[in-house]
Amino acid sequence: METTFQLLVNGLAMGSIYSLIALGFVLVYVAVNVVNFAQGDFIMVGAFICLSLYSNGIPIWFALIASVLIMGIFGFLYQIGVYRPFRSRSKSFLPVMISTLGASMFFQSLFLVIYGPDPRSLPPLIGGDPIQLGGLPLPRQSLVIIVFALLLFGFQFFLFEKTNLGKKMQATAQDPETARLMGINVAWMNGLTFVYCTALGGIAGILLAPLFTLTTTIGSIFGLKAFAAAIVGGFSDAKGAIVGGLFIGVIESFSAYFGMGAYMDASAFIVLVLFLIFRPSGLFGEKIGTKA
């Protein structure tokens, strides 16, 4: 029972990371009908920015806050440079998707030049021995990840369901032409979506980095797993991204314990293949129409 609980906590922690990244995939897709292949790299960019600030003497919590703000600006510039030049291309969404793929490769190469190939490490937000809960030692960073994820999920619900700004963003995502006729600045709402999703990716990277060595390719594998989580969840639904990420994280945790450690990374994609075969619409997905 104790082992099961520990595996569940570890799985939910990793699943929370996948959920945050998957939310970025889903929200951008719903808003502009494009898969942003650079979403995984945002975790690398955010973690390295935080590392740079921390290495220059800024306390880790202030470095985190500053990094999130910088990531928001980075996301706004990203959509100007990578999305906007191709958004009006007719007939196909491929130019934008190829543009995001090229941006992903560019970011990895740029940060490789800046930081080099050697793995780096980022300290945990709260250091110290594992917390004892009912006699069970639970890693502090795992609990921090879960708490952060819950706060961000709650913030997202509040933003999109309780604020005028969030409702404008949803209206823009659902029908940009009607939103434009209602006086909503569609370009600005799409820009805010990129800002929000980039910040989410950066936070995920800062939370993830203390658990793994930080390299310029860290975003690739976690981005792919989050992409699988988004598909498992339905890809057009934010709650599907959250549930899909948590589901993949728990599956990984238990598969590693039951003798499949060598295949732990593959478990997310095994789940993905099973969903594509037996439930291609995902847990919460519906058939998606192409935006006009």
Side-chain angles (χ1 to χ4, degrees), residues 49-269:
I49 290 175
C50 188
L51 175 65
S52 296
L53 296 174
Y54 176 75
S55 300
N56 282 282
I58 298 177
I60 187 66
W61 281 94
F62 289 104
L64 182 150
I65 295 170
S67 299
V68 173
L69 295 176
I70 293 172
M71 286 302 293
I73 298 171
F74 180 82
F76 188 77
L77 297 175
Y78 174 85
Q79 62 94 22
I80 291 177
V82 177
Y83 165 67
R84 285 195 183 186
F86 304 97
R87 63 179 175 175
S88 59
R89 295 288 180 90
S90 60
K91 297 182 181 180
S92 174
F93 52 84
L94 280 177
V96 182
M97 296 178 67
I98 293 173
S99 176
T100 66
L101 186 60
S104 169
M105 299 171 68
F106 172 76
F107 294 147
Q108 291 186 27
S109 300
L110 177 65
F111 277 71
L112 181 62
V113 170
I114 296 174
Y115 293 95
D118 296 332
R120 309 293 185 93
S121 61
L122 191 66
L125 295 175
I126 299 178
D129 296 330
I131 293 176
Q132 298 293 325
L133 185 63
L136 297 175
L138 299 176
R140 288 174 183 261
Q141 187 63 18
S142 294
L143 296 177
V144 167
I145 291 173
I146 293 173
V147 171
F148 255 86
L150 289 175
L151 291 174
L152 289 169
F153 297 155
F155 172 76
Q156 170 150 327
F157 174 80
F158 177 79
L159 173 65
F160 284 97
E161 301 297 334
K162 302 297 182 182
T163 69
N164 191 39
L165 175 62
K167 291 176 180 177
K168 286 182 178 179
M169 293 171 71
Q170 287 194 74
T172 302
Q174 291 169 0
D175 192 334
E177 291 303 323
T178 302
R180 188 176 289 109
L181 293 173
M182 294 174 65
I184 297 174
N185 189 327
V186 172
W188 181 244
M189 291 301 117
N190 287 339
L192 287 180
T193 301
F194 275 96
V195 168
Y196 179 67
C197 294
T198 307
L200 279 180
I203 295 172
I206 296 168
L207 295 173
L208 179 70
L211 301 177
F212 298 88
T213 54
L214 179 56
T215 66
T216 56
T217 58
I218 190 173
S220 299
I221 184 63
F222 291 103
L224 283 174
K225 290 182 181 179
F227 187 69
I231 295 175
V232 168
F235 215 84
S236 60
D237 191 291
K239 64 178 179 294
I242 295 172
V243 175
L246 296 176
F247 182 67
I248 292 290
V250 171
I251 290 290
E252 270 192 350
S253 180
F254 279 87
S255 64
Y257 178 76
F258 289 107
M260 296 180 62
Y263 305 99
M264 187 180 74
D265 286 337
S267 59
F269 305 107

